[in-house]
Every structure is written in C-alpha cells, then in structure tokens.
Amino acid sequence: MLTYHFKSGGDPLYIQLYQDIKSDILSGSLAPGEALPGKRPFAKQLGVSVSTVENAYGQLMAEGYITSMPRRGFYVAEVKTLPQTPEAVPARHEPDPVLASLHTVLSQRHWFADFQSNQTDPASFPFTLWAKLTREVLNDDQVALMTNPPAGGTMALRTAIADHLRDFRGLVVAPEQIIVGAGTEYLYTLLIQLLGFDRIYAVESPGYRKILQVYQAHRLKTAKIALDHQGLRPDLLEDSGASIVHITPSHHFPTGITMPIARRYEMLGWANRSADRIIIEDDYDSEFRMTGRPLPPLAAIDMTGRVIYMNTFTKSLASTIRVSYMVLPPALTAAFYRKLRFYACTVSTFEQAALSRFIAEGHYEKHINRMRQTYRRRRDALMRAVADSPMAKIASISEENAGLHFVLTLKTKKRDADIVRDAAKRGIRVAPLEDAGAHRFLINYSSIPESVIPEAVRRLSEAVTA
C-alpha cells in the first residue's frame, strides 16, 4: 500500500498528498490502470482525515491523473497516449436566421438579468482601495509616472505578475518574458507580427469567436479544429497543416471543458514534432476554479519553450480594465525585442503603477479569494434555482466547476430561437452555444447579483416551458 510522509507547516495536507501521488504517476511508480487505495483505509493508514484523501483524489481527477469507476474505486489514468475512439462533439449547426435577426434588438435592451454578458458586477470592484493606491502612486511615484516604459511594460508590474505566476500558478518566468498590453486582442496583433503571416493558425471549434476574427482580419490562413470530451483533438490538428494553435485548456470557452493531463501531453507532443510549432495558451479565467485549486497551466509543464501563456485582468478585476499580458518563451522574447521593441506599451503608466501595487501588496490575492467565494455562492444559487424550477425535469447543468459560466442543456422540442425570444419578453437575455448542437445555452453569472437569481430563473423557466 502507498505510504507518504507530510511536512508540518507547509501546504495543506491534501495538496501534499495530491503532489506526492501526481509525482508517482509521472515517474511511472504508479502505472496506468493501477488501483489506488480506497479513501477510508488510505486515510486511516496515513493518519489523516477522509476529507484530506477525498480532496486530493478530487484534484487528481480534475486534472486527469486518475479516473473513478462507480463502486470499484480510483485508478491511475493513462497520461501519454491519445484515446483510440475520441467522442466527437455534435455536428455543426448552421446559425438560426431567426436568432440572427434578433441579435441587434436584443443587444440594445435593458435586462432584468443578462446571462450572456461577461461584464463584472460593479459592486464587486474594490473602488475604495483602488482610489487609495492611486493617490499613493500619484504622491510617491511622480518621476516614474512621467517616464516612458519599455515596450513590454513597466518593470514593477511585470515583476509583480511574475511573482504572482510563480506563487499561484506554478509558472516560473523572468519579468522580461512578460509583455503587457491593452487587452488580449492587441497582444494577438503583436503575436501575428512576431510569428509570421505565412503560417496556418488553428483555433478551437466551437471557440471564442473574436480570436478567429482577429486572425481573419489579418488575412491569415486559419483552421477550425473540432473538440471531443477532452478538448481540442490533436489528430485533427496534425492533419490541418497548422503550425500555431490557440487553446483554452483550463476552461474552454464556451463548453467549459477542462483538458486532462493526457491530452495536454499530447498537445506538447504535437508541438515538439516540428521546430516551427507553437501553442498559445489562453488562461483567461483560471483563477475561478470552484473546487480544489486552480489547475496548473500547460506552460508550467512545457520544457522546450513551445507554449506562449496569455492571461488578462478583465475577468478577475473588471471587464473595463483593459490590461492583459503574455509570457513568451526565452527564444521568442529575444525575437520580440529584436523585431518589435519600437512599439510603445499601450497601457498607461498610471494604471500599471496602481495595478503593480495592488498585486505586490497582496490585495489581488485577497480580492481573488473574495470573488471566488462570491461567484461560488452565485453558481450554487443558480443551480438550486434551476433544480427548484418547473424546467428542472428537462434541464441539466454541466462544466460548472470552473470559470464564470456553465452549460444548461434542455430536453425540449421548442426551438432555440423561440426560447431566446420568450426569455427576452420577460427581461432575460440568454444565448445558445454556437456550433455545439441544439438546446445548449451558456449561462454566464459574472454580472448577475445573487438577489435577483431566483426571479431570473423563474422567468427563464417560464420562457422554456411556455
């Protein structure tokens, strides 16, 4: 039976156990298919609580290191081979013309509840603290505020981001590798210039539409790669001829799929088969994992410099704070400053100074912890409201353990366009997932106050069942 020893005063016990088992799986000490001890006998042997073992197993399952078989127990997953028969997503559906005609009208209404919006709730932003930090910056950093930063951003902000990535995402990088910009869309335009216009850029399908629009606006050759239940399919990526791929492994948009460790290694294997291949990892809302700790990014297990890591503060702070950043591998960092250092950083020095203090003084970590609790309560309130509503018998919720949205699937003969229209009549904005099959709706709760959730779900249920 497995035996592990824990350090006092270190990480929580479940994290230590998770890391020990993960290390044994990656080293081969625990072979694929090998059974793990049951939670209760394992807890008794280790001298820890059952919840410690349960939480460790939960984190390992979330990351794809182990699997669970009902009434049989937990088993080590295969982390180096691609499943032989991937489960395909539903066939592509053409956009509903009725839905398209509704788009302009629906986007201009005032809503009782907007489940499509990804904006943040104004009540959640720390205005008082932000104002205090801004005053301090204006008093203390006047010379620095009037000094133009390098193309990558101020060193203070990049150092703060590097420290945060090391401490909370397990990603060790130099501040010089970090490039700050006003939104990910701007950073993508820099990447296109850095990586080249003569490449094929692959995107997830379904995926975040704006990424494809940015590539198409630059007249790039693109390839849409289908998903299965583990995320983007490497076999289809290989056949596409693409040398650059954009993925969201920690929480896919819009389906919410979390890419397990086996598929992540497959993606790295794809990148390493050719010297010109690059993976762009968008970690846009990784801070908000509702169970366990945030999953380690793909960039953290990249040993050959093939992954560009991207993240933004628009999800964690406010949708109107247009501050994003990317982490370039060392070779691409040198190429960036050789080719593109003439660009000025597009984020104001004032905003960078306030944000760097916010992170360095620990306020960002505290804010994330508060918001994680807030969003967990909203998610739970939504799930309870759906379960208690008349549509409960025809509704199911999936991919609810990470990010700020989940997928609501309805077993109904009612057309999606009619559901959207009837919901709009009741002041509820909702949208179906594009290219993901019928009767699947993205429920984004980042901007929905908890107090309106019961009434919002009641109105949505009326629209669904009417």
Side-chain angles (χ1 to χ4, degrees):
M1 185 173 281
L2 297 177
T3 301
Y4 298 112
H5 302 283
F6 303 111
K7 298 177 182 179
S8 60
D11 289 330
L13 294 183
Y14 89 92
I15 294 297
Q16 295 187 48
L17 180 57
Y18 146 79
Q19 290 171 337
D20 288 338
I21 298 175
K22 171 183 169 181
S23 178
D24 282 350
I25 292 173
L26 292 177
S27 69
S29 298
L30 289 172
E34 184 172 343
L36 294 174
K39 290 181 289 186
R40 292 188 181 280
F42 198 20
K44 184 176 181 181
Q45 178 202 345
L46 296 175
V48 299
S49 67
V50 175
S51 63
T52 294
V53 178
E54 192 171 59
N55 290 336
Y57 280 5
Q59 187 69 25
L60 290 163
M61 286 183 60
E63 296 183 22
Y65 288 102
I66 67 174
T67 59
S68 173
M69 300 180 68
R71 299 185 181 180
R72 294 183 60 185
F74 299 88
Y75 295 83
V76 177
E78 170 62 63
V79 299
K80 294 183 179 178
T81 59
L82 185 68
Q84 297 299 311
T85 55
E87 177 186 340
V89 296
R92 172 186 169 88
H93 289 252
E94 292 300 319
D96 190 307
V98 180
L99 286 174
S101 67
L102 288 172
H103 176 73
T104 301
V105 174
L106 297 185
S107 63
Q108 296 175 352
R109 288 192 53 171
H110 174 72
W111 302 100
F112 177 79
D114 188 347
F115 290 115
Q116 188 176 347
S117 171
N118 60 1
Q119 293 187 2
T120 47
D121 184 357
S124 68
F125 187 79
F127 284 104
T128 301
L129 176 58
W130 195 264
K132 175 178 176 292
L133 293 175
T134 301
R135 288 194 299 271
E136 291 177 358
V137 164
L138 292 173
N139 289 329
D140 301 341
D141 301 336
Q142 294 177 1
V143 174
L145 290 175
M146 302 306 292
T147 303
N148 292 331
T154 66
M155 186 52 65
L157 178 55
R158 290 190 286 169
T159 299
I161 292 173
D163 291 344
H164 172 77
L165 290 175
R166 181 195 64 230
D167 294 341
F168 298 100
R169 302 297 287 125
L171 185 56
V172 180
V173 299
E176 291 79 9
Q177 292 175 250
I178 297 172
I179 309 298
V180 175
T184 53
E185 297 157 31
Y186 166 74
L187 292 178
Y188 274 104
T189 66
L190 292 182
L191 278 181
I192 292 167
Q193 295 173 69
L194 179 63
L195 299 176
F197 291 82
D198 57 346
R199 316 277 288 274
I200 298 177
Y201 289 70
V203 297
E204 298 162 319
S205 181
Y208 185 46
R209 184 196 304 175
K210 192 169 287 187
I211 298 300
L212 181 62
Q213 291 173 328
V214 170
Y215 289 154
Q216 291 175 337
H218 287 79
R219 302 181 183 276
L220 301 176
K221 293 181 179 179
T222 58
K224 295 182 179 180
I225 310 300
L227 315 178
D228 60 19
H229 66 288
Q230 294 187 335
L232 184 139
R233 289 179 52 180
D235 57 332
L236 299 181
L237 178 62
E238 187 73 50
D239 295 340
S240 72
S243 58
I244 298 167
V245 60
H246 173 278
I247 58 175
T248 52
S250 290
H251 187 234
H252 174 260
F253 184 89
T255 67
I257 293 171
T258 296
M259 183 179 288
I261 193 66
R263 182 59 56 85
R264 296 182 187 223
Y265 278 119
E266 286 291 325
M267 293 301 304
L268 291 175
W270 169 84
N272 284 308
R273 282 194 287 273
S274 181
D276 65 342
R277 290 179 175 177
I278 291 291
I279 298 171
I280 302 173
E281 177 185 18
D282 192 337
D283 211 29
Y284 69 102
D285 67 354
S286 60
E287 295 87 358
F288 299 114
R289 182 162 185 81
M290 302 306 175
T291 57
R293 62 176 0 190
L295 304 185
L298 184 64
I301 59 173
D302 170 32
M303 299 293 106
T304 57
R306 298 306 182 89
V307 178
I308 296 171
Y309 176 89
M310 303 190 75
N311 209 330
T312 179
F313 293 99
T314 60
K315 284 286 187 179
S316 54
L317 274 178
S319 52
T320 52
I321 291 184
R322 305 301 299 169
V323 182
S324 300
Y325 62 92
M326 60 183 176
V327 181
L328 300 176
L332 286 178
T333 300
F336 175 85
Y337 284 104
R338 188 170 60 251
K339 296 179 180 179
L340 303 175
R341 64 183 178 187
F342 62 86
Y343 277 110
C345 181
T346 49
V347 180
S348 75
T349 307
F350 291 75
E351 194 168 19
Q352 291 189 63
L355 181 55
S356 65
R357 285 202 181 198
F358 189 76
I359 299 171
E361 294 179 5
H363 303 302
Y364 183 58
E365 177 191 356
K366 294 176 182 177
H367 175 74
I368 291 295
N369 290 336
R370 284 195 300 269
M371 295 312 301
R372 191 180 292 120
Q373 295 295 327
T374 297
Y375 290 135
R376 184 183 291 115
R377 287 195 301 270
R378 290 184 188 177
R379 180 206 62 177
D380 292 348
L382 267 169
M383 294 174 66
R384 285 195 303 270
V386 171
D388 294 340
S389 71
M391 67 175 168
K393 294 181 180 180
I394 63 169
S396 62
I397 291 172
S398 59
E399 307 301 341
E400 72 277 12
N401 289 326
L404 302 180
H405 71 265
F406 57 72
V407 177
L408 178 69
T409 302
L410 301 171
K411 294 181 180 179
T412 177
K413 295 181 179 180
K414 191 169 184 176
R415 296 171 65 244
D416 288 354
D418 294 333
I419 293 174
V420 171
R421 177 184 287 111
D422 288 348
K425 291 177 181 177
R426 293 164 171 82
I428 305 299
R429 189 185 189 198
V430 67
L433 271 67
E434 296 182 8
D435 302 329
H439 312 319
R440 301 181 71 198
F441 293 82
L442 186 149
I443 303 298
N444 193 320
Y445 50 86
S446 62
S447 63
I448 308 295
E450 190 174 347
S451 60
V452 309
I453 285 175
E455 176 63 16
V457 172
R458 187 192 69 78
R459 296 186 187 190
L460 176 60
S461 183
E462 278 188 358
V464 170
T465 58

